[in-house]
């Protein structure tokens, strides 16, 4: 964390969500490194109780107060149940986290919150909603939905991923930025086209002609046009740092839209 707050606007909170392995943790590290080169100060929160190693130095780490293996033994749970229970226990003390963030507001430009590997642990649990809502009640808060782009190159997997993102946005009622990650491995142009122009998606779907799921996906994609209209999207590589300018612009734009989501 650098020490000076660069501007007078409100501190933004970014909740980094996405499927396991999409690159959330790598992105948190990259975003912090990138913003520090612009003299912007980040404050990093790790909410993944099961992560073994993280490539950044968190300012707040759920693992400091909750050992997920102990939770597993104490409550006789499987790994997923233990992660969820650890998050529930953390959520009971969310007021302390918010107070801590508020006490850092003057020095910090952006709070960045890393979430558990499995997306549903945060996005479909009461504790995830409580944590998001509590942070959003104090700061303009946005969702960074990280997409593992090499795993979303097929029209069906892509639209499924977008439907999931859409459901999270409506559940959390927060502005959402779709972050097409891993552009060092695959061109993200196809996804940008599909998001901006339904006809290009439709053309890709026509290759699957006759398949019942292609008709469903085409109807879904049409219905998704309104979602695509309200989100921002950018292509990055969290590994190489490509596209971080565009991401930062999207973050600032989404933060400005925060009040219209409440
Ligand atoms: P998380 O589960 O969403 O937190 O994902 P991680 O940040 O742990 O990343 C999962 C794997 O993807 C790791 O092996 C990362 O090194 C790799 N990874 C993340 N971002 C990128 C990227 O932009 N490009 C490449 N090539 N690999 C990446
Ligand atoms: Mg992670």
């Amino acid at each position: 964390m650098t020490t000076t707050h660069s501007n007078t606007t409100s501190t933004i909170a970014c909740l980094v969500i996405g499927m396991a392995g999409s690159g959330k943790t790598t992105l948190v590290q990259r975003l912090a490194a990138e913003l520090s080169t612009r003299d912007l100060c980040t404050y990093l929160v790790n909410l993944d109780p099961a992560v073994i190693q993280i490539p950044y130095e968190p300012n707040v780490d759920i693992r400091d107060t909750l050992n997920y293996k102990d939770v597993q033994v104490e409550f006789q749970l499987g790994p997923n149940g233990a992660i969820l229970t650890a998050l529930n226990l953390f959520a009971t003390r969310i007021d302390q986290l918010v107070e801590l963030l508020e006490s850092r507001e003057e020095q910090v430009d952006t709070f960045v919150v890393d979430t558990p590997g499995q997306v549903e642990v945060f996005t479909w649990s009461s504790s995830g909603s409580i944590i998001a809502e509590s942070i959003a009640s104090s700061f303009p808060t946005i969702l960074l939905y990280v997409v593992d782009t090499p795993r979303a190159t097929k029209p069906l997997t892509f639209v499924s991923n977008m439907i999931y993102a859409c459901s999270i946005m409506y559940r959390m009622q927060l502005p959402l930025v779709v972050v097409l990650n891993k552009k060092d491995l695959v061109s993200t142009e196809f996804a940008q086209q599909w998001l901006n122009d339904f006809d290009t998606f439709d053309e890709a779907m026509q290759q699957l002609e006759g398949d019942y799921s292609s008709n469903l996906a085409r109807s879904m994609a049409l219905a998704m046009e309104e979602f695509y209209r309200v989100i921002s999207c950018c292509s990055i590589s969290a590994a190489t740092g490509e596209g971080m300018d565009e991401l930062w612009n999207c973050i600032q734009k989404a933060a400005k839209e925060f009040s219209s989501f409440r």
Side-chain angles (χ1 to χ4, degrees):
M1 184 180 111
T2 50
T3 49
T4 47
H5 189 331
S6 68
N7 57 45
T8 52
T9 57
S10 310
T11 302
I12 303 168
C14 300
L15 307 179
V16 184
I17 57 174
M19 307 279 177
S22 56
K24 299 180 288 295
T25 298
T26 313
L27 174 59
V28 171
Q29 185 256 331
R30 174 63 65 186
L31 194 56
E34 185 67 28
L35 293 185
S36 86
T37 66
R38 297 159 198 235
D39 286 336
L40 292 172
C41 176
T42 50
Y43 192 85
L44 310 179
V45 179
N46 171 46
L47 292 186
D48 187 351
V51 70
I52 295 168
Q53 260 199 325
I54 37 183
Y56 56 85
E57 192 71 52
N59 299 94
V60 176
D61 192 338
I62 188 172
R63 297 174 305 169
D64 289 344
T65 48
L66 286 160
N67 181 319
Y68 116 97
K69 289 274 178 205
D70 291 348
V71 171
Q72 192 169 359
V73 173
E74 189 181 336
F75 296 93
Q76 300 275 301
L77 296 164
N80 285 336
I83 293 169
L84 187 57
T85 303
L87 204 66
N88 287 341
L89 293 169
F90 186 87
T92 63
R93 301 193 302 252
I94 185 63
D95 51 324
Q96 291 173 23
L97 175 68
V98 173
E99 272 169 32
L100 186 61
L101 300 184
E102 283 172 348
S103 74
R104 298 291 188 273
E105 189 177 4
E106 293 285 302
Q107 297 88 44
V108 173
D109 294 283
T110 310
F111 299 114
V112 187
V113 181
D114 195 0
T115 61
Q118 309 288 337
V119 62
E120 64 277 14
V121 171
F122 190 78
T123 55
W124 288 99
S125 64
S126 316
S127 48
S129 300
I130 290 166
I131 293 168
E133 189 51 46
S134 304
I135 295 174
S137 66
S138 285
F139 307 101
T141 302
I142 64 160
L143 303 167
L144 298 183
Y145 183 84
V146 185
V147 177
D148 192 341
T149 317
R151 290 198 181 175
T153 54
K154 296 199 175 102
L156 283 177
T157 48
F158 180 78
V159 79
S160 311
N161 211 321
M162 288 304 105
I163 290 168
Y164 202 82
C166 178
S167 69
I168 292 169
M169 190 181 88
Y170 285 113
R171 185 174 150 84
M172 298 247 169
Q173 303 272 298
L174 294 170
L176 183 142
V177 179
V178 168
V179 182
L180 300 166
N181 191 28
K182 308 195 184 181
K183 75 180 284 195
D184 57 303
L185 295 181
V186 65
S187 166
T188 56
E189 210 173 313
F190 74 91
Q192 295 271 12
Q193 278 179 352
W194 290 350
L195 287 170
N196 291 320
D197 177 4
F198 173 76
D199 290 340
T200 59
F201 180 80
D202 201 38
E203 265 166 41
M205 288 308 299
Q206 278 165 22
Q207 325 260 326
L208 306 173
E209 201 69 73
D211 183 342
Y212 88 92
S213 54
S214 75
N215 291 336
L216 182 61
R218 286 165 82 177
S219 317
M220 290 296 218
L222 262 180
M224 294 290 284
E225 278 193 307
E226 179 59 18
F227 170 64
Y228 295 166
R229 207 182 54 73
V230 299
I231 59 163
S232 310
C233 170
C234 64
S235 305
I236 67 151
S237 165
T240 67
E242 244 181 301
M244 296 307 285
D245 278 345
E246 199 192 343
L247 173 60
W248 181 233
N249 289 339
C250 285
I251 290 174
Q252 290 173 294
K253 178 172 166 269
K256 286 196 186 115
E257 287 158 7
F258 170 72
S259 54
S260 65
F261 275 73
R262 311 307 288 166

